């Protein structure tokens, strides 16, 4: 187990790489911790979670709601959790987002730790302190930005992951490569999901590389005034699509990245569009899609990234180099109609 | 109008003293602001609020709930409020607490401003960034600490205040005097509520003195690891009483201060107990009360100020000098039984 302390803003987060769930008690005190997880995770790891105080939620994004946060608060009161309690989220992005949010508002903030169990949560959702719940069709409309006290990475937890979840994770990994890491882009192009599944060391290294890449972006801009916006590559259109269709987050982002690559070609002279599209396809993710442009634009108008009458759109100058472009809503409308 | 910029932690708050509600548009842009207020305030100041986007809530602490926050979030979505919107709370502590809380979680935090309309909110509730909602019998169990962008003080708004609300405000003013300001304690002892009501300049000076006193305490300790706890003088028992009986906040805190003065006498050699009790009575506030000790202890156990098996209790060394004492829960139980 490798331990690394990283400062973001005023907070210090402990990163534990190459960790094992059964060693969690070396990092947090069972007596003063409450584990928040879902039924799927609990069923898989009941043995390892023996002796921990646990709150077990129904699994699924459809429960990432204020009502669920309210129920967790009620459970914490019942358990007499106080300001010295650590709330540990063990699960995918839904669980880490809920844990971070409840931890931020319970008694005006208690210590929080994350044990991400999906590839997406390991490389993206658990990192950077953003948390929240969905409100109607708007993802993460309510939440805070607050760094966890620790992050605990055990890639062994990925072995029960369904194929679609591997794809979700790789969508964000491809995103990271596109905006910041041309070397990783080439590594990804040389392999595929099955290769990483069969090479635990390479997978652990990939998770670590992505966790630290995202951390570095967030360190420079915790509150998303500048470079952190780069992480929204593929996400502006992606979120709008995810709300309208039966798409996974990775699928929606992949379609978003495909269109963003096209936009980059026409607005920023980007020449790697075909390579990006090929890589997305290589990892089993979709690229082009039919959608109702008016509906999608309507959701885009409510995107948190909107600022009055314009929207920040992330484009690529080249592979490994994302840039932030501010586009007037009227131009976004035109672009979407022409996509 | 006097403008003062004060830094607390990473945030800078603009304080406007001797301000007038009709000049609010000099401080915030009507087009990009949403005013959150209650029916009582709205009825009184409808004219001054013309042209502002407003959300009007039912008045009362019984609506300081997550459900109300949820409803405000829904209204903000409908109004297409975005990250550049300023949410302005015009009202007493319930409104400023709700405004601060919703402003902290909507889109992971938007700009917030407060126009306190009660004496209590002016000298206490609106200052220091604590916000929140009640959960069951537990006051402010859910919330955050986040400084507002501005505070706007118009003592003219107090002229419609009922007598009980004047008492509520003076309870906190007496608290400030007890823990930090012996000079103000003597000033208070020389006057009474009616005197301050009739002297607008003295009242404005008193509000300013208290706002800045509290600000200074918070500046030194935003997250309440140390000296900020002093502001809980009278509040530990006070909150427990407020939950159990039909007491106003000021009444509950006054009884809490009375018992804390007695405790200070027996545990810290405090000699000003009679002066404190006299001052509380002079401002029309209650001092001693009959209450169910078991019930009150049960609520105390859930107090946010509890840390594992002990509770921070604020005592006085002398008038103007509060100190933090950590007492084991078992001792607190004994003390309460003997009070």
């Amino acid at each position: 187990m490798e331990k690394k302390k990283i400062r973001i803003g005023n907070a210090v987060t402990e990163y534990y790489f190459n960790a094992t769930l059964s060693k969690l008690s070396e990092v947090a005190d069972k007596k003063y911790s409450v584990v928040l997880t879902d039924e799927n995770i609990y069923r898989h790891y009941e043995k390892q979670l023996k002796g921990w105080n646990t709150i077990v939620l129904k699994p699924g994004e459809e429960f990432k709601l204020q009502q669920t946060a309210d129920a967790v608060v009620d459970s914490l009161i019942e358990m007499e959790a106080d300001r010295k309690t650590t709330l540990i989220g063990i699960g995918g992005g839904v669980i880490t987002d809920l844990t971070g949010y409840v931890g931020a508002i319970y008694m005006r903030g208690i210590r929080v730790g994350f044990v991400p169990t999906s590839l997406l949560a390991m490389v993206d959702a658990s990192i950077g302190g953003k948390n929240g719940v969905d409100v109607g069709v708007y993802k993460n409309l309510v939440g805070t930005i607050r760094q966890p006290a620790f992050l605990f990475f055990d890639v062994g937890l990925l072995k029960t992951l369904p194929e679609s979840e591997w794809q979700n994770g790789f969508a964000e990994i491809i995103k990271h490569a596109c905006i910041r890491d041309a070397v990783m882009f080439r590594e990804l192009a040389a392999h595929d999901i099955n290769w990483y599944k069969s090479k635990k060391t390479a997978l652990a290294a990939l998770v670590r590389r992505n966790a630290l890449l995202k951390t570095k972006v967030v360190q420079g801009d915790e509150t998303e005034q500048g470079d952190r916006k780069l992480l929204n590559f593929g996400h502006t259109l992606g979120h709008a699509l995810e709300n309208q269709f039966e798409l996974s987050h990775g699928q929606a982002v992949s379609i978003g990245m495909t269109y963003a690559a096209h936009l980059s070609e026409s607005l920023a002279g980007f020449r790697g569009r075909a390579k990006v599209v090929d890589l997305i396809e290589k990892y089993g993710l979709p690229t082009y899609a039919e959608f109702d442009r008016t509906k999608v634009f309507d959701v885009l108008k409510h995107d948190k990234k909107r600022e009055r009458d314009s929207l920040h759109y992330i484009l690529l100058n080249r592979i490994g180099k994302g840039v932030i472009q501010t586009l007037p809503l009227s131009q976004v409308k035109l672009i979407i109609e022409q996509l």
Side-chain angles (χ1 to χ4, degrees), chain A:
Chain A
M1 187 156 80
E2 177 201 359
K3 177 176 174 178
K4 219 174 153 72
K5 282 193 183 191
I6 301 182
R7 171 175 290 276
I8 299 181
N10 290 325
V12 174
T13 303
E14 293 172 355
Y15 287 60
Y16 296 93
F17 293 110
N18 292 308
T20 313
L21 183 55
S22 56
K23 302 268 175 75
L24 183 62
S25 55
E26 294 177 13
V27 166
D29 188 333
K30 275 188 190 180
K31 202 174 159 209
Y32 296 116
S33 299
V34 174
V35 166
L36 185 63
T37 189
D38 69 30
E39 289 169 358
N40 291 340
I41 303 291
Y42 190 74
R43 199 180 321 116
H44 280 304
Y45 302 106
E46 204 168 343
K47 222 193 316 179
Q48 288 93 326
L49 293 176
K50 224 179 148 175
W52 291 87
N53 306 305
T54 50
I55 300 173
V56 182
L57 302 178
K58 287 211 170 70
E61 173 94 23
E62 65 269 36
F63 299 109
K64 204 177 115 174
L65 301 172
Q66 184 64 50
Q67 291 96 294
T68 308
D70 295 346
V72 174
V73 164
D74 289 340
S75 300
L76 289 173
I77 294 173
E78 254 171 62
M79 291 166 138
E80 304 198 356
D82 66 19
R83 285 179 172 169
K84 295 289 182 197
T85 299
T86 302
L87 186 64
I88 305 174
I90 305 183
V94 171
I95 289 292
T96 58
D97 276 9
L98 271 168
T99 303
Y101 177 53
V102 173
I105 60 174
Y106 185 74
M107 292 192 173
R108 300 204 180 97
I110 59 174
R111 251 173 68 96
V112 153
F114 297 144
V115 183
T117 60
S118 71
L119 185 59
L120 178 70
M122 287 185 193
V123 300
D124 185 17
S126 71
I127 293 157
K130 281 193 188 176
N131 57 56
V133 293
D134 303 336
V135 181
V137 295
Y138 306 111
K139 284 173 66 72
N140 303 316
L141 190 102
V142 155
T144 73
I145 299 182
R146 183 167 176 270
Q147 302 306 324
F150 70 81
L151 284 160
F152 192 89
F153 296 95
D154 173 3
V155 293
L157 301 174
L158 300 177
K159 63 175 186 287
T160 58
L161 213 60
E163 185 67 15
S164 62
E165 273 299 318
W166 283 91
Q167 290 166 359
N168 273 336
F170 271 100
E172 300 296 343
I173 291 171
I174 291 168
K175 177 192 80 179
H176 286 157
C178 285
I179 58 162
R180 267 290 170 99
D181 194 338
V183 173
M184 183 164 73
F185 192 98
R186 286 194 292 276
E187 187 195 298
L188 291 168
H191 304 294
D192 60 17
I193 290 188
N194 284 330
W195 187 84
Y196 283 107
K197 277 188 185 176
S198 67
K199 297 263 188 294
K200 196 177 170 187
T201 314
L203 179 62
L206 187 72
V207 163
R208 186 179 183 283
R209 185 179 186 118
N210 279 276
L212 293 177
L213 182 153
K214 175 160 180 188
T215 301
K216 208 165 174 191
V217 173
V218 173
Q219 264 184 315
D221 173 29
E222 188 181 11
T223 56
E224 199 168 320
Q225 309 300 309
D227 266 10
R228 185 167 186 167
K229 293 189 207 291
L230 294 175
L231 297 169
N232 292 322
F233 178 61
H235 281 61
T236 310
L237 184 62
H239 276 162
L241 291 173
E242 196 175 347
N243 286 329
Q244 301 287 320
F245 303 100
E246 293 287 305
L247 289 171
S248 71
H249 182 67
Q251 289 172 331
V253 167
S254 295
I255 297 168
M257 289 195 288
T258 302
Y259 285 101
H262 277 270
L263 272 183
S264 302
E265 197 171 63
S266 54
L267 295 176
F270 175 57
R271 291 165 172 214
R273 189 248 308 155
K275 277 189 184 172
V276 170
V277 174
D278 285 354
L279 189 63
I280 293 171
E281 281 176 351
K282 190 165 191 197
Y283 283 82
L285 290 155
T287 48
Y288 300 94
E290 275 305 314
F291 53 86
D292 179 332
R293 275 101 220 270
T294 318
K295 258 194 186 167
V296 163
F297 179 71
D298 222 54
V299 179
L300 268 183
K301 275 203 312 189
H302 289 280
D303 193 286
K304 288 198 300 305
K305 288 171 283 293
R306 175 170 72 84
E307 282 183 7
R308 298 186 182 167
D309 298 323
S310 60
L311 200 65
H312 298 294
Y313 221 97
I314 311 306
L315 303 177
L316 301 179
N317 269 349
R318 53 182 160 74
I319 285 169
K321 177 73 183 148
V323 289
I324 304 157
Q325 193 120 341
T326 306
L327 301 178
L329 274 184
S330 53
Q331 195 183 344
V332 174
K333 193 160 191 262
L334 269 178
I335 290 168
I336 287 177
E337 281 163 3
Q338 288 160 12
L339 276 181

